[in-house]
Amino acid sequence: MNFIKNVLATFVGIILFCMMSFFLLLIIGVVASAGSSSGKGKSVKGNSIIKLDLERVTNDYGGSIYIEDFDYKETNNDGLINVLQAIDYAKTDDKIKGISIENNTSYLGITQRKAIAEKLDEFKKTGKFVVAYADNYSQGEYYLASVADTVYLNPMGGIDFKGLASEVLYMKDLQDKTGIKMEVIRHGKFKSAVEPFLQQNMSAENREQLTVLLNSIWESFVNDVSKNRKISVASLNDVATNLNARNANLALENKLIDKIAYIDQYYNGIKKALGIKYDDDINEIDVLEYVESTHLKSTKIGAKDQIALIFAQGEIKGGEGSINSIGEGSISRALKAARKNDKIKAIVLRVNSPGGSALTSDIIWREIELTKKTKPVIVSMGDVAASGGYYIACNADKIFAEPGTITGSIGVFGMLPNFKEIANKYGVKAEQVKTHENAAGYSPFQEISPKYKETVTEGIEIVYDTFISRVAAGRKMTKEQVDKIGQGRVWTGTMAKQLGLVDELGGLDAAIAYAAKTAKTTDYKLSFYPEYKIEFGDLIRKFFGMSVSSIKEDAIKQEIGTENYELLQRMNYLKQSEGIQAMLPYYLNIK
């Protein structure tokens, strides 16, 4: 017996030792990570180029995380804003001679690419060069490459220049066959986030808004390419219609590229521009390495004033929020901190969200309302600021949007999963015992009662009325005017400006410049918010969960495919969404 006890004691001791060692190593790793992001980074050599690799840049804001248990803060400088600041700094950096866009693969949206393209254009105007090369160009990557002085393409490559399309999957028949039903209550004839669960074909309203939306986004896209490449819009549309950039020869013939070349020839071109020998190495630094080397230099540390740049990015889910989701905790805390800081003279709220929880949207709206009383609040819309995303933006002092920004979607819905049919099919019957008529609320194993449906409908109507009231007050319109352009309909930034939903067309720089002008300051630096609070225990659980989760995710993707996995995730999100939702009317996958 003592032998067994000793063995168990030894075993437990080993486990405890391993856990303590792991925690110690994790803390050391976190501290080391902080040191690596302190601005020292990789040194920049003279006569260098920046390699614009954007694969790891996925959000406007990389995020700042605060671990309460250790009073420790870590900032990630891998956001779009950091890349924009780095390119800005490179304009006057004598060590940087050019920028290379080489086989770039990114997951950025059209307005994010536009922001980078504009910075590259500014960079070119200083006399420095921008060149681009790809084995094959996707349409999105070509948009960015079109800014380059010289665009190269592999002899066996092509450009996927074909226009825009969007596909929506309808699942009414699937529900009928499986017995799994989604109970849907909505306000807004265009509120088609739930349409795939109600019918098997696209409604005329949804087809209309999608057609108008895609044409408006394409118009903005093709106009930019036309300007960059000095090709008429009519010619570009002809190329798209006939796929006349599908191979290198056609792309060159139609002037979408400048040279057909292999990668070694591309490098030789860069070496010639740098004035070095062909057998010399190119001094190259990755854009995120350049960010780490220069981000402190590119910040006006000694500036007298500050402008707070608060990022609201991702779906609105409530709670603390994170780098990929919006919660009232971090956003409200950021707004409060900004309005209490005397050095902060104005606030720019960068919104990039399809919406989500109506309750969380209203809580954030209230904080913006309070903040406006002390300091100007300017909104900059990114790729999407729709539904709940527009809700939190609508009462700003000024709203900026890009031409291709997806916005509006002023509508509300509620959706409840129902398993009664499939339960009956397999012999499962739910019985209820209750003290009052409505005590049981909603059960997914019972048909939705008229009273419960009436109650939910009432709630949706209240939220919708509040929504259009907020918009009407913020945009100085009548509720009737807002309702007419509401109903869940989606608009682009260009259309939204015509309708009065936004004030100006312009990017983040334009919003910041306006904020500074409103605050009457020229000597300012940007302060980034929010700071996301996490507990050390959550960090540990996330660490252990990530490996298991990623293995499971990869296995499912391999089995059913990436697009089907995204659909599954979307369905799970809709089923798990609590409360009434102000969400973009569909999962918009533009190809």
PDB file of all heavy atoms in Angstrom, residues 29 37 124 184 190 250 256 267 287 408 457 470 588:
ATOM      1  N   GLY A  29       8.124  33.662 -21.774  1.00  0.00           N
ATOM      2  CA  GLY A  29       7.831  33.868 -23.196  1.00  0.00           C
ATOM      3  C   GLY A  29       7.079  35.156 -23.439  1.00  0.00           C
ATOM      4  O   GLY A  29       7.341  35.880 -24.392  1.00  0.00           O
ATOM      5  N   SER A  37       8.734  43.396 -29.098  1.00  0.00           N
ATOM      6  CA  SER A  37       7.838  44.383 -29.709  1.00  0.00           C
ATOM      7  C   SER A  37       8.076  45.774 -29.143  1.00  0.00           C
ATOM      8  O   SER A  37       7.218  46.626 -29.201  1.00  0.00           O
ATOM      9  CB  SER A  37       6.370  43.961 -29.486  1.00  0.00           C
ATOM     10  OG  SER A  37       6.085  43.888 -28.107  1.00  0.00           O
ATOM     11  N   LYS A 124       5.149  56.674 -53.916  1.00  0.00           N
ATOM     12  CA  LYS A 124       5.705  56.832 -55.267  1.00  0.00           C
ATOM     13  C   LYS A 124       6.001  58.293 -55.595  1.00  0.00           C
ATOM     14  O   LYS A 124       6.979  58.598 -56.287  1.00  0.00           O
ATOM     15  CB  LYS A 124       4.720  56.285 -56.304  1.00  0.00           C
ATOM     16  CG  LYS A 124       4.712  54.789 -56.457  1.00  0.00           C
ATOM     17  CD  LYS A 124       3.525  54.312 -57.280  1.00  0.00           C
ATOM     18  CE  LYS A 124       3.322  55.094 -58.540  1.00  0.00           C
ATOM     19  NZ  LYS A 124       2.161  54.620 -59.323  1.00  0.00           N
ATOM     20  N   VAL A 184     -38.250  32.151 -37.309  1.00  0.00           N
ATOM     21  CA  VAL A 184     -37.703  33.457 -37.662  1.00  0.00           C
ATOM     22  C   VAL A 184     -38.750  34.546 -37.480  1.00  0.00           C
ATOM     23  O   VAL A 184     -39.900  34.406 -37.887  1.00  0.00           O
ATOM     24  CB  VAL A 184     -37.223  33.454 -39.134  1.00  0.00           C
ATOM     25  CG1 VAL A 184     -36.798  34.840 -39.560  1.00  0.00           C
ATOM     26  CG2 VAL A 184     -36.078  32.476 -39.307  1.00  0.00           C
ATOM     27  N   PHE A 190     -35.938  43.714 -46.518  1.00  0.00           N
ATOM     28  CA  PHE A 190     -34.641  43.350 -47.065  1.00  0.00           C
ATOM     29  C   PHE A 190     -33.787  42.592 -46.052  1.00  0.00           C
ATOM     30  O   PHE A 190     -32.632  42.312 -46.306  1.00  0.00           O
ATOM     31  CB  PHE A 190     -33.877  44.609 -47.501  1.00  0.00           C
ATOM     32  CG  PHE A 190     -34.457  45.264 -48.732  1.00  0.00           C
ATOM     33  CD1 PHE A 190     -35.355  46.306 -48.622  1.00  0.00           C
ATOM     34  CD2 PHE A 190     -34.122  44.824 -50.002  1.00  0.00           C
ATOM     35  CE1 PHE A 190     -35.888  46.915 -49.746  1.00  0.00           C
ATOM     36  CE2 PHE A 190     -34.649  45.420 -51.130  1.00  0.00           C
ATOM     37  CZ  PHE A 190     -35.541  46.468 -51.004  1.00  0.00           C
ATOM     38  N   LEU A 250      -2.337  37.882 -72.969  1.00  0.00           N
ATOM     39  CA  LEU A 250      -3.544  38.713 -73.022  1.00  0.00           C
ATOM     40  C   LEU A 250      -3.464  39.867 -72.036  1.00  0.00           C
ATOM     41  O   LEU A 250      -3.893  40.995 -72.333  1.00  0.00           O
ATOM     42  CB  LEU A 250      -4.779  37.857 -72.727  1.00  0.00           C
ATOM     43  CG  LEU A 250      -5.311  36.997 -73.875  1.00  0.00           C
ATOM     44  CD1 LEU A 250      -6.407  36.061 -73.378  1.00  0.00           C
ATOM     45  CD2 LEU A 250      -5.836  37.870 -75.021  1.00  0.00           C
ATOM     46  N   LEU A 256      -2.750  45.437 -68.714  1.00  0.00           N
ATOM     47  CA  LEU A 256      -2.927  45.260 -67.281  1.00  0.00           C
ATOM     48  C   LEU A 256      -1.590  45.005 -66.584  1.00  0.00           C
ATOM     49  O   LEU A 256      -1.477  45.180 -65.374  1.00  0.00           O
ATOM     50  CB  LEU A 256      -3.899  44.111 -66.980  1.00  0.00           C
ATOM     51  CG  LEU A 256      -5.384  44.522 -66.875  1.00  0.00           C
ATOM     52  CD1 LEU A 256      -5.928  44.911 -68.239  1.00  0.00           C
ATOM     53  CD2 LEU A 256      -6.204  43.394 -66.273  1.00  0.00           C
ATOM     54  N   TYR A 267      13.798  40.271 -59.897  1.00  0.00           N
ATOM     55  CA  TYR A 267      14.840  40.691 -58.966  1.00  0.00           C
ATOM     56  C   TYR A 267      15.917  41.514 -59.671  1.00  0.00           C
ATOM     57  O   TYR A 267      16.439  42.490 -59.111  1.00  0.00           O
ATOM     58  CB  TYR A 267      15.483  39.477 -58.294  1.00  0.00           C
ATOM     59  CG  TYR A 267      14.586  38.765 -57.300  1.00  0.00           C
ATOM     60  CD1 TYR A 267      14.692  37.394 -57.106  1.00  0.00           C
ATOM     61  CD2 TYR A 267      13.638  39.463 -56.563  1.00  0.00           C
ATOM     62  CE1 TYR A 267      13.870  36.724 -56.204  1.00  0.00           C
ATOM     63  CE2 TYR A 267      12.808  38.816 -55.656  1.00  0.00           C
ATOM     64  CZ  TYR A 267      12.927  37.440 -55.481  1.00  0.00           C
ATOM     65  OH  TYR A 267      12.102  36.798 -54.581  1.00  0.00           O
ATOM     66  N   VAL A 287       7.555  43.925 -44.244  1.00  0.00           N
ATOM     67  CA  VAL A 287       6.836  45.123 -43.786  1.00  0.00           C
ATOM     68  C   VAL A 287       6.564  45.099 -42.281  1.00  0.00           C
ATOM     69  O   VAL A 287       6.659  46.137 -41.604  1.00  0.00           O
ATOM     70  CB  VAL A 287       5.530  45.328 -44.588  1.00  0.00           C
ATOM     71  CG1 VAL A 287       4.513  44.224 -44.305  1.00  0.00           C
ATOM     72  CG2 VAL A 287       4.918  46.695 -44.285  1.00  0.00           C
ATOM     73  N   GLY A 408     -25.476  50.670 -43.769  1.00  0.00           N
ATOM     74  CA  GLY A 408     -26.938  50.653 -43.706  1.00  0.00           C
ATOM     75  C   GLY A 408     -27.435  49.413 -42.999  1.00  0.00           C
ATOM     76  O   GLY A 408     -27.089  49.161 -41.852  1.00  0.00           O
ATOM     77  N   THR A 457     -41.980  39.352 -31.227  1.00  0.00           N
ATOM     78  CA  THR A 457     -42.287  40.326 -32.280  1.00  0.00           C
ATOM     79  C   THR A 457     -42.358  41.733 -31.711  1.00  0.00           C
ATOM     80  O   THR A 457     -41.836  42.690 -32.309  1.00  0.00           O
ATOM     81  CB  THR A 457     -43.616  39.973 -32.976  1.00  0.00           C
ATOM     82  OG1 THR A 457     -43.539  38.650 -33.513  1.00  0.00           O
ATOM     83  CG2 THR A 457     -43.917  40.959 -34.098  1.00  0.00           C
ATOM     84  N   ARG A 470     -32.748  56.433 -33.344  1.00  0.00           N
ATOM     85  CA  ARG A 470     -31.346  56.798 -33.141  1.00  0.00           C
ATOM     86  C   ARG A 470     -30.752  57.371 -34.436  1.00  0.00           C
ATOM     87  O   ARG A 470     -30.057  58.386 -34.423  1.00  0.00           O
ATOM     88  CB  ARG A 470     -30.525  55.568 -32.735  1.00  0.00           C
ATOM     89  CG  ARG A 470     -30.996  54.852 -31.487  1.00  0.00           C
ATOM     90  CD  ARG A 470     -30.569  55.560 -30.243  1.00  0.00           C
ATOM     91  NE  ARG A 470     -30.762  54.747 -29.067  1.00  0.00           N
ATOM     92  CZ  ARG A 470     -31.507  55.077 -28.026  1.00  0.00           C
ATOM     93  NH1 ARG A 470     -32.175  56.230 -28.024  1.00  0.00           N
ATOM     94  NH2 ARG A 470     -31.596  54.295 -26.962  1.00  0.00           N
ATOM     95  N   LEU A 588     -22.080  37.842 -46.599  1.00  0.00           N
ATOM     96  CA  LEU A 588     -21.746  38.373 -47.909  1.00  0.00           C
ATOM     97  C   LEU A 588     -20.366  37.900 -48.331  1.00  0.00           C
ATOM     98  O   LEU A 588     -19.349  38.373 -47.844  1.00  0.00           O
ATOM     99  CB  LEU A 588     -21.790  39.906 -47.879  1.00  0.00           C
ATOM    100  CG  LEU A 588     -21.645  40.622 -49.218  1.00  0.00           C
ATOM    101  CD1 LEU A 588     -22.741  40.194 -50.173  1.00  0.00           C
ATOM    102  CD2 LEU A 588     -21.686  42.122 -49.026  1.00  0.00           C
TER     103      LEU A 588
END
